[in-house]
Each structure stands twice: as structure tokens, then as C-alpha cells.
Amino acid sequence: PREQTMRVVVQRVARASVAVGGDVVSQIGRGLFVLVGIRQGDTREDAEYVCRKILGLRVFEDEEGKMWSRSVLDLGLEVLAVSQFTLYGRTTKGYKPDFHESMPADESRDFYHAFMATMRASHRVDLVKDGVFGAYMECDIVNTGPVTIVIESKRGEREDSSSSSNNNDDTTKA
């Protein structure tokens, strides 16, 4: 069986907005646009881990222009998150996606709202925004780079959050 994990797709953006029924319900300037996938069996610990990774993700440049140096927390940038059950769409049998791995809507609604509360408590409330859970949304983003990162909460394989061994402070990828 596959390892169960919470999954998010994070995109660095110049701006992003979400509309429902043609009306913009949320928008941000420079920051991160996050698609949030919630799987059956996800826990509060998964949500807290993913939240820390999103907010600490260093995908922005520092004052000298050095890339991969700063996070939204460091720079006080915005985050726009959208619930995205289709991140668990499987097409192993035919062409129609199967979403059975996604947490059912009645459970995931509360989980998602708790996840967003954790994000807001960990950053600044006014800088963390979201779409409308369960609504058909139009997401308009300007991805810069482009930079897109997938984060998963693989249980048992998380690094110690107090460890700086994977800090990569002195390394850069070409």
C-alpha cells in the first residue's frame, strides 16, 4: 500500500486570485499560491508539518538577489490557499479520475478550516487567504520562475524541525 500523506502544491506567484461565480473572493500580491490536498487518514500533525514547510519554504531572493534565501515568513508575503481534492485523482484504471483517496468532503471541510487556522496563527492573519471550500473556483495566477514545489507529509520520514542539518544555507543549485 502507498504511504498516506497530506499533499500540497506550492507556486511562487507575482499575484493570484480566486473567483467564484465570476466574483473575486480572494486575491494576493507577491507570495505563494497553494493547492491543498487532504487524504483520508490525514492528522493534525500532518497539517502542522505541511504548514511549517509552506511558510518556511525558501523560494524568494534575499536583499542581494541571492535566490532560494527567503520565505514568506522572512519577507512578510501573502499566501493564498485553495482546497484541492483532485490532487489525489488516480487514473490507473482507465481515463476517468478516481478520487477515493481524498478525504470525504464532510470530514475534509473541518480539517481544511483547522489547517487554515494553523496557517493564520503561524503567520499573520491578514496575509493568509483562501478560496471557498467546495465551490467551483476560477484560479488566476502569475507563477514566477516558474517555481512549483510539491510538499508531502510522509509519516515517519519527517526531519526533526529543530535540526538545521538540512538547512542548505551555504549551497545553491545551478
Side-chain angles (χ1 to χ4, degrees):
R2 297 180 67 188
E3 178 71 32
Q4 291 208 354
T5 62
M6 185 176 174
R7 178 180 301 150
V8 297
V9 176
V10 181
Q11 298 181 312
R12 184 181 68 191
V13 297
R15 64 183 175 278
S17 65
V18 176
V20 176
D23 296 323
V24 173
V25 295
S26 199
Q27 61 187 353
I28 64 169
R30 185 172 176 230
L32 298 176
F33 180 79
V34 183
L35 299 172
V36 181
I38 303 168
R39 178 180 248 156
Q40 291 187 48
D42 282 345
T43 65
R44 186 179 76 235
E45 291 77 20
D46 291 313
E48 290 170 353
Y49 171 81
V50 169
C51 178
R52 282 192 310 274
K53 293 297 265 190
I54 292 167
L55 296 176
L57 190 62
R58 296 184 307 176
V59 293
F60 298 96
E61 67 279 353
D62 65 13
E63 302 76 29
E64 287 83 43
K66 181 180 175 189
M67 187 48 92
W68 317 113
S69 299
R70 298 288 185 258
S71 69
V72 291
L73 284 176
D74 297 330
L75 300 173
L77 300 178
E78 296 176 292
V79 178
L80 174 54
V82 173
S83 177
Q84 184 72 43
F85 76 93
T86 63
L87 288 180
Y88 292 107
R90 308 243 345 215
T91 58
T92 52
K93 295 180 183 177
Y95 296 97
K96 180 181 177 185
D98 172 347
F99 303 110
H100 286 94
E101 291 183 33
S102 298
M103 186 180 286
D106 56 335
E107 295 173 50
S108 62
R109 178 182 313 276
D110 291 338
F111 189 95
Y112 175 75
H113 289 304
F115 171 77
M116 292 304 299
T118 299
M119 288 267 286
R120 289 182 174 110
S122 302
H123 196 19
R124 283 190 14 215
V125 173
D126 60 315
L127 296 180
V128 179
K129 302 176 181 175
D130 64 342
V132 177
F133 184 91
Y136 184 85
M137 294 176 269
E138 295 175 359
C139 302
D140 186 18
I141 69 167
V142 176
N143 184 327
T144 56
V147 173
T148 302
I149 308 287
V150 176
I151 298 173
E152 295 185 326
S153 64
K154 294 182 180 176
R155 293 183 188 94
E157 297 181 16
R158 298 183 191 130
E159 75 273 6
D160 177 15
S161 60
S162 64
S163 169
S164 60
S165 62
N166 194 19
N167 230 0
N168 294 325
D169 281 332
D170 298 322
T171 59
T172 4
K173 302 273 182 190

